[in-house]
Amino acid sequence: MSDLAFKIRGMDCAEEVVVLKRALGPLAGGEEHLVFDLLNGKLTVSSPPETLAEDAVVRAVAGTGMEAVRWEAHAASGSHSVGRRTGGRGRMCAASGIFLAAGFALHALQHGVMDALTRGPGEGHRFPSDVLVLYIAAAVAGGWFVVPKALAAARRLRPDMNLLMMVAVLGAAAIGEWFEAATVTFLFSLALLLESWSVGRARRAIRALMDLSPATARIVPPEGGESEEQFVEAVVTGTIVAVRPGEKIPLDGVVVKGSTSINQAPITGESRPVPKEVGDEVFAGTINNESAFRFRVTRPAADTTLARIIRMVEEAQARRAPSERWVETFARYYTPAMMGLALLIAVVPPLVLGEGWAKWFYEALVILVIACPCALVISTPVSIVAALASAARAGILIKGGMYLEGAARLNAVAMDKTGTLTSGHPTVQRIVPLNDHSEEELLERAAAIEAHSEHPVGRAVVHCAQERGVAFTPAEGYRALKGKGGEARYGDRPFWVGSHRFVHELAMDDAEAHGIAESLEDAGHSSVFVGNDRHVCGLISVADEIRPDAPAAVHALKEAGIRSVVMLTGDNQGTAQAIAKAAGVDDFRAELLPEDKVVEVERLVREHGRLAMVGDGINDAPAMAAATLGIAMGAAGADAAIETADIALMADDLARIPWLIRHARRALRTIKQSIAFALGIKLVFIALALCGLATLWMAIAADMGASLLVIFNALRLLQPARG
């Protein structure tokens, strides 16, 4: 059975997600089958049981006081129910505030301001009937969206914040505290409105990414003639699109005519324009700086790099951070415990100490109000969504809160050498023929075999042959020798290319070849030996230059608190040592086969606890999987890298890694601050209530203030610190 997706109207808070999990978990075969997108109000039931009917989900959601609509029907209708619902909340909250203000003003005019604020039924005071009507109207308007959920919680015997508020308001009304009952409902309604606004603010930060890509593309007809505008959704792959200077690029593609420079910051976070020529990739949402050019579309609108970023950021909410899970578990037990505490406060002092029932019933209501976990449950998801959105704008795709928090807790970083610490574009430095072979002959045979290889060193050899005009045809019967080289037939004879270690294994390493290779490797070169079934024909030295920003990035990692930076490479010891020294890493491991890298990463995890593995693509996937966190470099346009890694850096920019760690630690600090503040406020007011010093409206004002502070504290993450 395929996945079922629903739009959940009324799902505005993380606590409501908990309620839905309890209601739908048994139907879906377990809570692990439920995926929630709080930003878009979306629920996906993944791999549902065959017996699960759509109507059963709709009824179960209705039982929680919310409403479920099939996602397809919601999307097809172009519904903006979130906006309508927020507007409805705003209108009812405004009505509640107006009725409350009118009632208070009328009361103050008739009896004075202090009397309106402080007089209660215990002092023989009765509210005027007109004031009472206004206060009741304020309570009804403020509780309009709260009561259905509160009743649903009562029916399920699962108390939540909505039930807490309804009990507190009814209790205040029962003892004649109408001003406080109206004030509590208005302030709680305002708090929920602000909470909904904060989620919407984070939602808009992600949807702003969608606005990066234009809605139309200028299509060049295959037969020539005038270009025409088409909606990007209608453009098929292979179409030629024209882009003028200053325009945004509408789709992913490859340049086929012209040259220019492009601002790729919206996708990769790169601060400088990137030159583009024929054959180079361009991405939707980036900006053409200088010259008109044309490109061939390589991906449909729904599958561009930008679209995948947006989709993955939205899906990232399902991968919850440990702090989110902790808050959810805490809230599950906290709310019933607070109701139990309120009951004890209402009953024990009058029964045991003989004190007045009205006084302690009132203090119990104060406990119920301050117990509302609103600020607590909203703090973590808003912080994480804001952090994910700002990272995406900086060219860093984090696939979930758990990976954001993982980056904040790193102790060590392992880096692949080629393409990560180095440019990844090695070039041939020397060609050394042996045993009566010529340079041209040696290069021809090496290029014929390496034509089958995708390794950067192999590509460097092929490129050198092409530049020198050495003619060759790809060798036949090529077989890759994992981590060592390759072999094939060329000119009816077997030949091989391989590393210095491979030559040792073949026992063909004569003194002359060994001495030359060692001197080259000491200088930081990699040696590619070429041989046949009789002898070594010669060797070709290849060198890959270190990235100019690598030493500064490694230093920044240490300043960010990373205890150890280790380089892993399949290259020889001499090359690895030269690169490691230039980069400033703490340690390195050389001559590693792919499986050796996995073993080394596992050892580093045992040694350091939390380790990130940084690589430049699918080749490093096994090592990334073995690490605590996998980080892919230069993932823009690379499907495999984006899918494989936990975090993808869209640009080849090592400086993004220390930025990521600082950003993640800032987000984690924000979450901890918000949780501590929300709980601290509650403890203070519980103590004040026990001392008889707190009032209902003070409690709800404090709770709303706490909600406001944690929301704005979280939204600061939308403006990430520079660095």
Side-chain angles (χ1 to χ4, degrees):
M1 187 174 179
S2 59
D3 293 354
L4 294 174
F6 297 87
K7 170 67 181 178
I8 307 297
R9 293 170 180 161
M11 186 177 72
D12 305 307
C13 172
E15 192 177 66
E16 287 156 354
V17 171
V18 176
V19 170
L20 288 167
K21 283 182 178 179
R22 290 171 178 166
L24 298 173
L27 292 176
E31 292 183 4
E32 65 274 10
H33 293 288
L34 302 174
V35 180
F36 292 91
D37 177 356
L38 183 61
L39 287 189
N40 294 302
K42 184 178 181 181
L43 160 68
T44 303
V45 185
S46 63
S47 304
E50 291 289 339
T51 55
L52 180 62
E54 178 184 331
D55 290 346
V57 175
V58 172
R59 286 194 301 272
V61 172
T64 67
M66 290 173 263
E67 180 187 358
V69 178
R70 276 303 294 266
W71 186 261
E72 292 80 1
H74 163 75
S77 68
S79 173
H80 299 287
S81 61
V82 173
R84 291 204 304 269
R85 189 173 185 90
T86 302
R89 282 186 184 276
R91 287 190 291 272
M92 295 307 288
C93 181
S96 178
I98 291 169
F99 287 133
L100 174 63
F104 180 79
L106 190 58
H107 198 169
L109 284 173
Q110 294 176 6
H111 297 276
V113 173
M114 292 307 297
D115 188 88
L117 279 173
T118 61
R119 295 297 297 273
E123 297 168 344
H125 176 71
R126 294 184 62 186
F127 285 104
S129 57
D130 48 359
V131 174
L132 185 60
V133 168
L134 288 170
Y135 283 160
I136 291 173
V140 169
W144 191 261
F145 289 95
V146 177
V147 171
K149 294 180 180 179
L151 292 175
R155 284 195 301 270
R156 295 191 313 271
L157 300 179
R158 298 272 191 177
D160 63 6
M161 62 183 182
N162 299 292
L163 184 57
L164 285 181
M165 287 301 103
M166 192 173 81
V167 170
V169 170
L170 291 176
I175 60 175
E177 295 285 355
W178 290 103
F179 169 65
E180 296 197 352
T183 303
V184 165
T185 50
F186 165 66
L187 291 176
F188 185 61
S189 173
L190 181 59
L192 292 180
L193 182 64
L194 290 169
E195 179 182 300
S196 180
W197 170 84
S198 70
V199 174
R201 175 72 177 86
R203 180 190 297 120
R204 288 190 295 274
I206 290 177
R207 287 186 175 172
L209 293 170
M210 298 179 185
D211 297 334
L212 293 173
S213 183
T216 61
R218 188 176 295 105
I219 306 304
V220 178
E223 64 278 1
E226 291 295 320
S227 59
E228 57 184 30
E229 297 280 337
Q230 278 189 19
F231 287 109
V232 292
E233 292 80 7
V235 178
V236 298
T237 56
T239 302
I240 304 300
V241 176
V243 184
R244 295 169 181 166
E247 291 183 337
K248 291 181 179 179
I249 296 169
L251 294 155
D252 285 7
V254 175
V255 178
V256 295
K257 183 178 180 181
S259 62
T260 186
S261 67
I262 290 178
N263 176 6
Q264 295 191 160
I267 299 295
T268 65
E270 294 168 286
S271 57
R272 295 180 180 177
V274 179
K276 298 289 182 179
E277 297 180 348
V278 173
D280 289 337
E281 276 192 300
V282 293
F283 306 112
T286 57
I287 303 163
N288 181 23
N289 279 348
E290 297 162 356
S291 306
F293 72 96
R294 294 180 180 182
F295 71 92
R296 184 181 69 256
V297 176
T298 55
R299 289 192 182 96
D303 197 38
T304 64
T305 299
L306 177 61
R308 292 203 307 278
I309 290 172
I310 295 165
R311 188 162 56 247
M312 287 187 173
V313 172
E314 290 179 338
E315 291 171 354
Q317 302 160 70
R319 303 178 181 95
R320 295 175 303 147
S323 54
E324 282 186 283
R325 293 194 292 269
W326 180 87
V327 167
E328 180 181 306
T329 303
F330 179 84
R332 182 174 297 177
Y333 299 102
Y334 165 83
T335 302
M338 287 298 100
M339 292 196 78
L341 176 63
L343 181 62
L344 288 175
I345 289 172
V347 173
V348 172
L351 290 178
V352 176
L353 304 177
E355 298 189 8
W357 286 92
K359 174 182 181 299
W360 287 104
F361 183 71
Y362 181 85
E363 299 304 336
L365 296 180
V366 174
I367 293 293
L368 285 180
V369 171
I370 197 59
C372 173
C374 202
L376 180 65
V377 297
I378 197 63
S379 59
T380 305
V382 172
S383 297
I384 287 174
V385 169
L388 294 177
S390 60
R393 291 207 303 264
I396 301 175
L397 176 57
I398 305 173
K399 293 189 178 178
M402 60 188 294
Y403 305 123
L404 176 73
E405 196 161 313
R409 300 181 186 276
L410 289 174
N411 299 320
V413 173
M415 293 185 176
D416 180 51
K417 178 185 78 70
T418 305
T420 302
L421 282 170
T422 64
S423 64
H425 303 292
T427 55
V428 172
Q429 305 295 319
R430 283 188 61 189
I431 301 172
V432 184
L434 301 170
N435 295 315
D436 299 325
H437 291 282
S438 67
E439 287 190 11
E440 183 175 342
E441 188 180 20
L442 187 66
L443 190 56
E444 176 191 352
R445 292 170 181 178
I449 299 173
E450 294 288 18
H452 297 279
S453 173
E454 290 298 316
H455 194 280
V457 170
R459 290 198 296 268
V461 171
V462 172
H463 182 68
C464 179
Q466 292 170 338
E467 275 195 332
R468 294 191 179 200
V470 175
F472 67 91
T473 56
E476 297 176 351
Y478 174 79
R479 184 169 72 94
L481 304 172
K482 192 175 181 181
K484 300 174 183 178
E487 59 184 12
R489 295 191 68 81
Y490 189 68
D492 296 326
R493 189 167 187 179
F495 282 91
W496 51 263
V497 296
S499 64
H500 196 176
R501 183 172 63 175
F502 181 53
V503 179
H504 277 298
E505 291 181 11
L506 295 176
M508 299 178 73
D509 190 15
D510 60 42
E512 182 183 7
H514 180 79
I516 294 170
E518 278 202 333
S519 65
L520 290 170
E521 288 165 6
D522 288 342
H525 295 207
S526 296
S527 297
V528 178
F529 283 79
V530 184
N532 55 33
D533 54 346
R534 289 187 301 154
H535 57 241
V536 174
C537 302
L539 60 103
I540 300 171
S541 81
V542 178
D544 186 9
E545 294 183 351
I546 190 170
R547 290 178 184 272
D549 60 340
V554 171
H555 180 70
L557 279 172
K558 295 175 182 178
E559 284 191 329
I562 297 300
R563 294 200 295 262
S564 179
V565 181
V566 182
M567 184 185 79
L568 307 179
T569 180
D571 255 333
N572 61 72
Q573 191 79 10
T575 299
Q577 186 171 10
I579 296 295
K581 183 178 180 181
V585 299
D586 298 298
D587 199 1
F588 69 93
R589 299 287 186 276
E591 300 182 8
L592 298 175
L593 298 173
E595 55 268 30
D596 296 332
K597 283 188 180 180
V598 174
V599 172
E600 192 61 35
V601 166
E602 289 172 345
R603 184 191 69 79
L604 290 168
V605 169
R606 290 193 298 272
E607 182 179 337
H608 297 287
R610 296 185 179 91
L611 173 87
M613 173 64 196
V614 184
D616 64 333
I618 194 65
N619 293 336
D620 298 308
M624 288 181 185
T628 312
L629 201 66
I631 302 176
M633 286 275 294
D639 295 355
I642 291 178
E643 297 294 336
T644 301
D646 304 319
I647 297 175
L649 310 183
M650 306 311 290
D652 286 322
D653 185 2
L654 277 174
R656 295 288 88 187
I657 301 174
W659 183 96
L660 164 67
I661 291 169
R662 288 194 298 271
H663 180 63
R665 289 180 176 171
R666 180 176 170 230
L668 189 57
R669 280 197 308 272
T670 299
I671 291 168
K672 289 179 177 178
Q673 289 166 1
S674 297
I675 291 173
F677 181 74
L679 291 177
I681 284 288
K682 295 183 187 309
L683 289 174
V684 167
F685 266 82
I686 288 171
L688 289 174
L690 292 174
C691 297
L693 300 175
T695 64
L696 278 175
W697 67 268
M698 286 169 57
I700 191 63
D703 187 68
M704 188 188 72
S707 296
L708 271 175
L709 285 172
V710 300
I711 286 169
F712 287 120
N713 193 35
L715 292 178
R716 287 188 307 115
L717 293 168
L718 288 172
Q719 302 298 325
R722 297 186 180 275

